[in-house]
Amino acid sequence: MGVINHIKKIRIEKGITQIRMAEDLQVTRQTINAIEKNKYNPSLELALKLVDYFDVPIEEIFILEEDET
Amino acid sequence: MGVINHIKKIRIEKGITQIRMAEDLQVTRQTINAIEKNKYNPSLELALKLVDYFDVPIEEIFILEEDET
DNA sequence: AAGATGTGTAAAGATATCTTTACGTATCAG
DNA sequence: CTGATACGTAAAGATATCTTTACACATCTT
Protein backbone atom coordinates (compact mmCIF):
# COMPACT_ATOMS: atom_id res chain seq x y z
CA MET A 1 0.00 0.00 0.00
CA GLY A 2 1.44 3.34 -1.01
CA VAL A 3 1.88 5.86 -3.75
CA ILE A 4 4.58 5.93 -6.40
CA ASN A 5 5.22 8.75 -8.84
CA HIS A 6 6.68 9.36 -12.26
CA ILE A 7 7.92 12.85 -11.60
CA LYS A 8 11.51 12.27 -12.63
CA LYS A 9 10.46 10.76 -15.95
CA ILE A 10 8.08 13.62 -16.72
CA ARG A 11 10.57 16.26 -15.59
CA ILE A 12 13.32 14.85 -17.84
CA GLU A 13 10.92 14.65 -20.77
CA LYS A 14 10.15 18.32 -20.34
CA GLY A 15 13.82 19.23 -19.97
CA ILE A 16 13.43 20.85 -16.58
CA THR A 17 16.02 20.72 -13.80
CA GLN A 18 15.25 19.92 -10.16
CA ILE A 19 16.51 23.37 -9.33
CA ARG A 20 14.11 25.11 -11.68
CA MET A 21 11.21 22.97 -10.53
CA ALA A 22 11.94 23.79 -6.92
CA GLU A 23 12.01 27.50 -7.68
CA ASP A 24 8.84 27.38 -9.74
CA LEU A 25 6.98 25.38 -7.11
CA GLN A 26 8.46 27.26 -4.16
CA VAL A 27 9.89 24.25 -2.39
CA THR A 28 13.48 23.22 -1.88
CA ARG A 29 15.49 21.17 -4.32
CA GLN A 30 15.85 18.52 -1.64
CA THR A 31 12.10 18.15 -1.46
CA ILE A 32 11.88 17.54 -5.21
CA ASN A 33 14.76 15.11 -5.05
CA ALA A 34 13.31 13.16 -2.12
CA ILE A 35 9.93 12.86 -3.81
CA GLU A 36 11.51 11.71 -7.08
CA LYS A 37 13.45 9.09 -5.18
CA ASN A 38 10.24 8.06 -3.44
CA LYS A 39 11.66 8.80 -0.02
CA TYR A 40 8.24 10.14 0.87
CA ASN A 41 5.07 11.34 -0.83
CA PRO A 42 4.33 14.98 -1.48
CA SER A 43 1.57 16.61 0.51
CA LEU A 44 -1.76 16.84 -1.29
CA GLU A 45 -1.14 20.53 -1.88
CA LEU A 46 2.22 19.93 -3.51
CA ALA A 47 0.82 17.00 -5.49
CA LEU A 48 -1.92 19.23 -6.94
CA LYS A 49 0.65 21.89 -7.75
CA LEU A 50 2.72 19.29 -9.58
CA VAL A 51 -0.32 18.29 -11.63
CA ASP A 52 -0.87 21.92 -12.59
CA TYR A 53 2.82 22.44 -13.23
CA PHE A 54 3.20 19.53 -15.62
CA ASP A 55 -0.33 19.87 -16.96
CA VAL A 56 -0.95 16.15 -17.06
CA PRO A 57 -3.69 14.04 -15.46
CA ILE A 58 -2.93 13.05 -11.90
CA GLU A 59 -3.04 9.35 -12.81
CA GLU A 60 -0.06 9.86 -15.08
CA ILE A 61 2.01 11.16 -12.21
CA PHE A 62 0.80 9.33 -9.12
CA ILE A 63 -0.13 5.68 -8.85
CA LEU A 64 -1.95 4.31 -5.81
CA GLU A 65 -0.62 0.82 -5.32
CA GLU A 66 -3.23 -1.52 -3.97
CA ASP A 67 -2.66 -3.93 -1.15
CA GLU A 68 -1.93 -7.29 -2.69
CA THR A 69 -3.88 -9.80 -0.70
CA MET B 1 -2.78 29.11 -0.80
CA GLY B 2 -4.18 25.77 0.30
CA VAL B 3 -6.54 22.97 -0.50
CA ILE B 4 -10.22 22.75 0.34
CA ASN B 5 -12.42 19.69 -0.11
CA HIS B 6 -16.04 18.78 -0.65
CA ILE B 7 -15.94 15.47 1.15
CA LYS B 8 -18.80 16.15 3.54
CA LYS B 9 -21.08 17.19 0.70
CA ILE B 10 -20.25 14.11 -1.37
CA ARG B 11 -20.50 11.79 1.63
CA ILE B 12 -23.96 13.09 2.57
CA GLU B 13 -25.12 12.79 -1.04
CA LYS B 14 -24.11 9.15 -1.03
CA GLY B 15 -25.73 8.52 2.34
CA ILE B 16 -22.57 7.30 4.03
CA THR B 17 -21.67 7.92 7.68
CA GLN B 18 -18.28 9.12 8.88
CA ILE B 19 -18.02 5.87 10.79
CA ARG B 20 -18.56 3.71 7.75
CA MET B 21 -16.15 5.79 5.68
CA ALA B 22 -13.50 5.47 8.34
CA GLU B 23 -13.93 1.69 8.43
CA ASP B 24 -13.91 1.36 4.66
CA LEU B 25 -10.83 3.54 4.29
CA GLN B 26 -9.07 2.13 7.33
CA VAL B 27 -8.57 5.40 9.12
CA THR B 28 -10.17 6.73 12.27
CA ARG B 29 -13.44 8.60 12.39
CA GLN B 30 -11.58 11.58 13.82
CA THR B 31 -9.41 11.71 10.73
CA ILE B 32 -12.45 11.86 8.46
CA ASN B 33 -14.05 14.47 10.67
CA ALA B 34 -10.96 16.66 10.79
CA ILE B 35 -10.54 16.53 7.03
CA GLU B 36 -14.20 17.36 6.44
CA LYS B 37 -13.85 20.32 8.78
CA ASN B 38 -10.71 21.36 6.89
CA LYS B 39 -8.59 21.12 10.01
CA TYR B 40 -5.89 19.69 7.80
CA ASN B 41 -5.49 18.08 4.37
CA PRO B 42 -5.39 14.36 3.85
CA SER B 43 -2.11 12.79 2.80
CA LEU B 44 -1.78 12.14 -0.92
CA GLU B 45 -2.36 8.45 -0.28
CA LEU B 46 -5.61 9.07 1.59
CA ALA B 47 -6.68 11.63 -0.99
CA LEU B 48 -6.25 9.09 -3.79
CA LYS B 49 -8.16 6.50 -1.77
CA LEU B 50 -10.98 9.00 -1.34
CA VAL B 51 -11.09 9.55 -5.08
CA ASP B 52 -11.36 5.80 -5.63
CA TYR B 53 -13.87 5.45 -2.83
CA PHE B 54 -16.26 8.07 -4.15
CA ASP B 55 -15.44 7.34 -7.77
CA VAL B 56 -15.43 10.98 -8.79
CA PRO B 57 -12.74 13.10 -10.47
CA ILE B 58 -10.24 14.54 -8.02
CA GLU B 59 -11.18 18.08 -9.07
CA GLU B 60 -14.67 17.51 -7.74
CA ILE B 61 -13.32 16.70 -4.30
CA PHE B 62 -10.19 18.81 -3.88
CA ILE B 63 -9.71 22.39 -4.94
CA LEU B 64 -6.28 23.99 -5.00
CA GLU B 65 -6.81 27.59 -4.05
CA GLU B 66 -4.41 29.88 -5.80
CA ASP B 67 -2.49 32.64 -4.13
CA GLU B 68 -4.37 35.83 -4.74
CA THR B 69 -1.79 38.35 -5.78
C1' DA C 1 43.28 21.95 -13.93
C1' DA C 2 39.52 25.02 -12.41
C1' DG C 3 34.83 26.68 -12.28
C1' DA C 4 29.97 26.09 -13.08
C1' DT C 5 25.98 23.22 -13.11
C1' DG C 6 23.02 19.38 -11.83
C1' DT C 7 22.20 15.64 -8.84
C1' DG C 8 22.31 12.52 -4.44
C1' DT C 9 22.42 12.49 0.32
C1' DA C 10 22.51 13.36 5.49
C1' DA C 11 21.26 15.36 9.94
C1' DA C 12 18.66 18.55 12.89
C1' DG C 13 14.57 20.90 13.52
C1' DA C 14 9.67 22.72 12.43
C1' DT C 15 5.14 21.72 11.19
C1' DA C 16 1.49 18.57 9.33
C1' DT C 17 -0.91 14.27 9.36
C1' DC C 18 -2.94 10.56 11.91
C1' DT C 19 -3.96 7.53 16.08
C1' DT C 20 -5.71 6.60 20.66
C1' DT C 21 -8.60 7.78 24.30
C1' DA C 22 -12.14 10.30 25.94
C1' DC C 23 -15.92 13.43 26.63
C1' DG C 24 -19.93 16.34 24.94
C1' DT C 25 -24.06 17.24 22.06
C1' DA C 26 -28.04 16.04 19.18
C1' DT C 27 -31.43 12.96 17.17
C1' DC C 28 -34.29 9.05 16.91
C1' DA C 29 -36.46 4.62 18.64
C1' DG C 30 -38.32 2.08 22.30
C1' DC D 1 -36.59 8.62 30.18
C1' DT D 2 -33.12 5.21 28.30
C1' DG D 3 -30.30 3.36 24.87
C1' DA D 4 -28.35 3.52 20.40
C1' DT D 5 -26.37 6.11 16.68
C1' DA D 6 -23.95 9.92 14.46
C1' DC D 7 -21.22 13.87 14.88
C1' DG D 8 -17.84 17.51 16.98
C1' DT D 9 -13.91 18.15 19.56
C1' DA D 10 -9.63 18.01 22.52
C1' DA D 11 -5.09 16.50 24.16
C1' DA D 12 -0.96 13.56 23.95
C1' DG D 13 1.97 11.06 21.18
C1' DA D 14 3.84 8.78 16.73
C1' DT D 15 5.21 9.33 12.15
C1' DA D 16 5.45 11.97 7.70
C1' DT D 17 6.48 16.06 5.19
C1' DC D 18 9.49 19.89 4.41
C1' DT D 19 13.33 23.34 5.43
C1' DT D 20 18.05 24.68 6.27
C1' DT D 21 22.77 23.75 5.96
C1' DA D 22 26.22 21.18 4.26
C1' DC D 23 29.10 17.92 1.74
C1' DA D 24 30.10 14.70 -2.18
C1' DC D 25 30.25 13.26 -7.01
C1' DA D 26 29.76 13.64 -12.01
C1' DT D 27 29.62 16.22 -16.30
C1' DC D 28 30.69 19.98 -19.12
C1' DT D 29 33.16 24.18 -20.43
C1' DT D 30 37.11 27.07 -20.53
Side-chain angles (χ1 to χ4, degrees):
Chain A
M1 184 79 67
V3 180
I4 61 169
N5 70 75
H6 297 143
I7 290 172
K8 180 164 188 173
K9 179 173 179 297
I10 296 170
R11 178 178 61 79
I12 299 294
E13 282 169 5
K14 305 217 177 221
I16 302 169
T17 66
Q18 289 181 352
I19 295 166
R20 183 153 210 285
M21 261 188 76
E23 285 167 355
D24 290 341
L25 294 166
Q26 310 229 65
V27 294
T28 65
R29 180 180 64 84
Q30 286 78 350
T31 295
I32 301 298
N33 190 290
I35 291 167
E36 282 191 356
K37 307 298 272 185
N38 282 285
K39 294 265 169 64
Y40 50 73
N41 296 127
S43 66
L44 176 59
E45 179 170 349
L46 181 50
L48 293 176
K49 285 178 183 169
L50 284 160
V51 167
D52 282 359
Y53 186 68
F54 286 135
D55 195 30
V56 295
I58 192 167
E59 317 86 67
E60 288 186 22
I61 306 185
F62 299 106
I63 312 295
L64 178 61
E65 306 219 293
E66 297 300 332
D67 238 353
E68 307 298 335
T69 320
Chain B
M1 183 78 69
V3 180
I4 60 169
N5 71 76
H6 297 144
I7 290 172
K8 179 164 190 175
K9 178 173 178 297
I10 296 171
R11 177 178 62 78
I12 299 293
E13 282 169 5
K14 304 215 177 223
I16 302 169
T17 66
Q18 289 182 350
I19 296 166
R20 182 154 209 286
M21 262 190 76
E23 286 167 354
D24 289 342
L25 294 167
Q26 310 230 65
V27 294
T28 64
R29 180 178 65 83
Q30 285 79 350
T31 295
I32 300 298
N33 190 290
I35 292 168
E36 282 192 355
K37 307 297 272 186
N38 281 286
K39 295 266 169 63
Y40 50 75
N41 297 128
S43 65
L44 176 58
E45 177 170 350
L46 181 50
L48 293 177
K49 286 179 184 170
L50 284 161
V51 167
D52 282 358
Y53 186 68
F54 287 134
D55 195 29
V56 294
I58 191 166
E59 318 85 67
E60 288 186 22
I61 307 185
F62 300 106
I63 312 294
L64 178 61
E65 305 219 293
E66 296 301 330
D67 238 354
E68 308 297 337
T69 320

